[in-house]
Amino acid sequence: MFQAPSVFQRAPLPPATRESEPRHEQTLTATAPLPTAGPGARGAAAPAPAAAKKRDPYFDNVKYLAIVLVAVAHAWEPVMDGSRATRALYMIVYAFHMPAFILISGYFSRSFDMTPPKVKRLITSVAVPYVLFETAYSLFKRYADDTPDMAISLIDPFFLTWFLIALFIWRVTTPIWRTLRHPLPVALAIAVLASVSPDIGDDLDLQRVLQFLPFFVLGLLMKPEHFQLVRRREVRLMALPLFAGALLFAYWAAPRMQLGWLYRANSAQEMDAPWWSGAVMTLAMFGCALALTIGFLAWVPGRARWFTALGAGTICGYLLHGFLIKGAEYAGLFDRYTWLADPVGLVVVSLTAAVAVTLMCTPLVGRALKWATEPDLKWAFRKDSAGR
């Protein structure tokens, strides 16, 4: 945990986490924010290709660029302690990359209800991958890090798998948020209460689930026209001084601010901060994350680019890049090659992470991993759950 007597204080760097998403109800990660076209019924007078859903290149671009930021930020963690500038950049990326992912996930979850076809999709694209990769990461640590007592726990998510269980919970509760008159204030109130409730514990990473909840709910409330407003030229221009100011502030705060406020994995009391600081920081971080997310979304290209197709494979990039980061850590590479903490080394680390996660998002990897990210479990469901 992070130990410091106040909101701003030097604290040790804990491992981060990251993010991903499922499919249908285009989520934010590869398959995850996947939008997929619905099944094309055969036989009856099919309304032609126009009826099939078409992927929006803008959101695929958002997903790809966001997953690159996730991987690069994870790669910075083991080597950033000696560089105040790198820590500042890390803080900026961590302030908005997960909120952006979660907001987009909420946006593509707007139509979720508890009908059998959508419940089936939720189980196969979120719950099952969570079980498989939570087990895989635990076993990887047990043998690669020579940690024979590493337990396999589906209740205590390890590293980046927390996002899958969080997405499952958020999606299941979507009908509730769609019913409330003022869902965002309610979600913010829950996040604030979670930040001052140290007894919540680590089960299912509920602190993160509750503290990140407002971004998912905000995504549920968004409409296509909101994204059109975000992409206006004026917003893009305003984003430049916004990020410049954020960088200056982060450079000042880097040696003072606990990174735990960015991870949202603990209450204020668990970080040895005054209980009231949880409420203050929750609201402040929400505003900061929202502003930076808008700035990020404003600069994402709306047209197809060379990387657009990779947006459909971000679930693989998200789930696989952790093995690369953790593998290098378990092998002691960051300790052995101390030059990686130098400016040139940081560039090498960043490029390596970006290239690796890009390759992991390719269709070839997606097809090879489909058995784990989109398993065909027809045998596990009643025939009437197919919804056809």
Side-chain angles (χ1 to χ4, degrees), residues 142-188:
R142 179 184 296 182
Y143 296 108
D145 195 31
D146 192 20
T147 312
D149 58 343
M150 177 64 185
I152 297 175
S153 172
L154 299 182
I155 297 179
D156 187 11
F158 177 69
F159 194 35
L160 49 67
T161 58
W162 73 268
F163 184 73
L164 291 176
I165 196 62
L167 182 61
F168 183 89
I169 295 172
W170 293 328
R171 277 261 175 91
V172 167
T173 61
T174 292
I176 297 176
W177 304 112
R178 299 289 292 171
T179 302
L180 293 179
R181 179 171 295 180
H182 303 295
L184 185 57
V186 173
L188 280 169

Side-chain angles (χ1 to χ4, degrees), residues 338-377:
T338 56
W339 63 271
L340 291 175
D342 298 335
V344 173
L346 289 170
V347 172
V348 171
V349 168
S350 302
L351 290 177
T352 300
V355 171
V357 77
T358 296
L359 295 175
M360 294 169 185
C361 291
T362 57
L364 179 63
V365 174
R367 288 192 294 270
L369 206 63
K370 189 173 182 179
W371 64 271
T373 59
E374 306 173 57
D376 184 359
L377 301 178

